[in-house]
Amino acid sequence: MGTPPQPQQQGAGPYNPYGAPVPQQGGSAGPWHAGPQPYGAYGAHPEPGRYGCRLCGAWPAAHATVRGHQGLIVLMRFLSLRGPFCRDCGLATYRRMSSDTLWQGWWGPLSVFITPVTLLMNLGPRASFRRLAPPAGGYRPALDPGKPLWRRAPVLLFLAPVLLVLLGIPTLIGIALLVGDDEPTLSVGQCVADEWDGHELALRVRDCGSPDAEYRVSKRLETSDDRCAPLDRVTGSDYGRLGSTRTCLTPLPR
């Protein structure tokens, strides 16, 4: 009596991950084998249990969420796109959403504070994408990351007023210190006269030989112990060096 043939076991021959038999070398491929395979000859993922990029299917991919924000005067929108992303698709998504946030995110009272927080939160996904190897094995080409964020027009439009403010404040302070008002900083030996400026009497420097000169600057009161001569006039500290030193004015003979 002959032995009946034994049924082939599931694991006896080569199988793909979905249970369909793999054709032997030289055999014809069945319908399951038609079309391009994204992860190698048999469709097996290089790292089982993980997924490729959600946009192109390439691997390796990082699980991360890229965020955006839109301020709408009274209302606001919180945007997010969850991974996994490959390196190129992740960077392209990060740069696009962050660039849009830079010019769309400030138009609201609360959005002024939410926008910088959103941009800072995107730095974590950006670092994850940059650590990935170049994408491979996708079912479509990965997105082009494009220009770096700091070279895009919305960033330049955002940085321009910021730089103007940062540079403008020191410039205005410097001009104010250099120009000051009409009250001079007096030095010993100069001659001055009282003149009405439309609001009050103010000292103006005059040539000592001019008949308009009334006083000569004779001394600076550098310390609290310094004193002027009995007939001298004492100016306020606003005529002194750095606005902190008083001076003695001796009347000129008439």
Side-chain angles (χ1 to χ4, degrees):
M1 180 180 295
T3 303
Q6 299 294 323
Q8 186 178 9
Q9 300 296 322
Q10 178 75 11
Y15 280 74
N16 81 336
Y18 308 102
V22 176
Q24 301 299 321
Q25 185 174 2
S28 61
W32 63 272
H33 195 261
Q37 297 298 315
Y39 301 115
Y42 303 112
H45 195 284
E47 191 170 337
R50 300 188 65 180
Y51 298 95
C53 174
R54 63 170 291 174
L55 300 179
C56 70
W59 186 90
H63 287 269
T65 300
V66 184
R67 305 181 187 277
H69 183 74
Q70 292 179 346
L72 304 174
I73 309 301
V74 178
L75 304 177
M76 64 184 71
R77 293 181 62 193
F78 295 86
L79 310 174
S80 65
L81 191 60
R82 189 181 302 273
F85 297 103
C86 68
R87 184 193 67 181
D88 290 357
C89 290
L91 289 176
T93 302
Y94 156 77
R95 291 172 180 175
R96 175 178 58 83
M97 295 187 70
S98 296
S99 176
D100 290 345
T101 300
L102 274 171
W103 70 273
Q104 296 176 354
W106 305 98
W107 314 113
L110 295 179
S111 297
V112 173
F113 303 98
I114 297 174
T115 294
V117 174
T118 302
L119 295 172
L120 290 175
M121 292 176 66
N122 280 344
L123 294 180
R126 172 183 177 272
S128 300
F129 301 146
R130 290 176 63 88
R131 287 195 294 265
L132 295 175
Y139 53 80
R140 55 170 290 178
L143 297 179
D144 181 7
K147 295 180 181 180
L149 187 60
W150 62 272
R151 292 176 53 192
R152 301 193 175 202
V155 180
L156 298 178
L157 292 175
F158 168 73
L159 291 178
V162 173
L163 291 176
L164 287 176
V165 172
L166 294 179
L167 297 177
I169 292 177
T171 302
L172 292 176
I173 294 176
I175 292 175
L177 292 176
L178 291 174
V179 176
D181 51 22
D182 293 335
E183 296 178 348
T185 299
L186 303 180
S187 58
V188 175
Q190 285 182 323
C191 294
V192 296
D194 279 324
E195 288 190 5
W196 181 255
D197 62 0
H199 300 283
E200 59 182 356
L201 285 175
L203 293 175
R204 297 291 182 266
V205 176
R206 293 291 179 262
D207 185 87
C208 291
S210 170
D212 296 331
E214 298 177 320
Y215 305 95
R216 184 188 299 274
V217 181
S218 57
K219 185 179 180 181
R220 281 190 189 280
L221 302 180
E222 302 286 354
T223 66
S224 58
D225 296 331
D226 290 340
R227 297 289 185 271
C228 294
L231 298 180
D232 283 358
R233 173 182 169 183
V234 182
T235 68
S237 58
D238 49 346
Y239 289 100
R241 185 172 47 200
L242 299 178
S244 61
T245 306
R246 297 184 299 166
T247 57
C248 301
L249 302 180
T250 302
L252 293 174
R254 293 290 182 177

